[in-house]
Amino acid sequence: MVEIEVLRRTRALSVALTALLCMWFFGNLYEQIVWNPQLLADPKPGSLVGEFAAGSPVFYYLPWAPITFVAAVALRVKFGAAVPETVRKKWNWGLGALGVGLAVKVMLVTRVNPVFRDATATSAEVHDNAVIWAFSNGVVVLSVAAALHCFTAWRRV
């Protein structure tokens, strides 16, 4: 059983972490159900804006994704001793899920995104990379959803 005092002490960091996780989750979900299907249906080379141009997803994810991971680590380190072992285990699983999501997103941004920006790429290359993006981003969506569960479910006691 989690004490009321622990719930109060962790509230600010938990709320911030939940907001960041939701932002990350819904951003990836949007990509999964809106942006990627459009790209699969019409794979246009050079269709993604430049890395630092207006509308670039870089501004959405940087620095928010790393800050989310840091906030999760801060919650675990700062309050890990104050919560029951079952909560610590959930937080550890949440950190693992976030690590997977972050690693996959880094791979996508560094390896797949450049193909979408390349005006000299073929439509087939763009389509093939959109398929990679769809499956990999699906892993990110599930990872962030799992982390969101792990870091919030314990508060409903």
Side-chain angles (χ1 to χ4, degrees):
M1 178 101 177
V2 180
E3 296 178 26
I4 298 296
E5 183 59 29
V6 173
L7 290 170
R8 281 191 191 119
R9 289 179 46 217
T10 59
R11 183 179 298 138
L13 190 51
S14 290
V15 167
L17 178 59
T18 302
L20 289 165
L21 285 168
C22 285
M23 191 170 88
W24 194 4
F25 173 77
F26 286 111
N28 280 284
L29 188 61
Y30 173 82
E31 288 178 347
Q32 195 71 7
I33 62 175
V34 175
W35 180 76
N36 196 260
Q38 290 173 344
L39 192 60
L40 286 166
D42 187 17
K44 292 181 186 172
S47 61
L48 187 61
V49 298
E51 290 172 317
F52 300 108
S56 171
V58 168
F59 296 117
Y60 189 83
Y61 291 105
L62 288 177
W64 306 116
I67 288 173
T68 303
F69 190 78
V70 168
V73 169
L75 182 68
R76 172 63 178 91
V77 169
K78 185 172 182 178
F79 297 106
V83 297
E85 179 67 23
T86 56
V87 173
R88 277 194 302 277
K89 285 181 181 179
K90 277 194 174 197
W91 287 358
N92 290 343
W93 279 103
L95 284 172
L98 276 182
V100 168
L102 192 57
V104 171
K105 204 62 179 183
V106 166
M107 183 277 299
L108 288 172
V109 168
T110 59
R111 307 264 185 212
V112 178
N113 265 5
V115 175
F116 300 148
R117 287 188 182 90
D118 185 2
T120 64
T122 66
S123 290
E125 289 174 320
V126 172
H127 181 272
D128 292 348
N129 278 275
V131 170
I132 292 169
W133 184 276
F135 284 102
S136 300
N137 197 55
V139 170
V140 175
V141 169
L142 293 174
S143 296
V144 176
L148 186 57
H149 171 75
C150 290
F151 283 108
T152 59
W154 73 279
R155 295 192 67 84
R156 290 184 250 142
V157 292

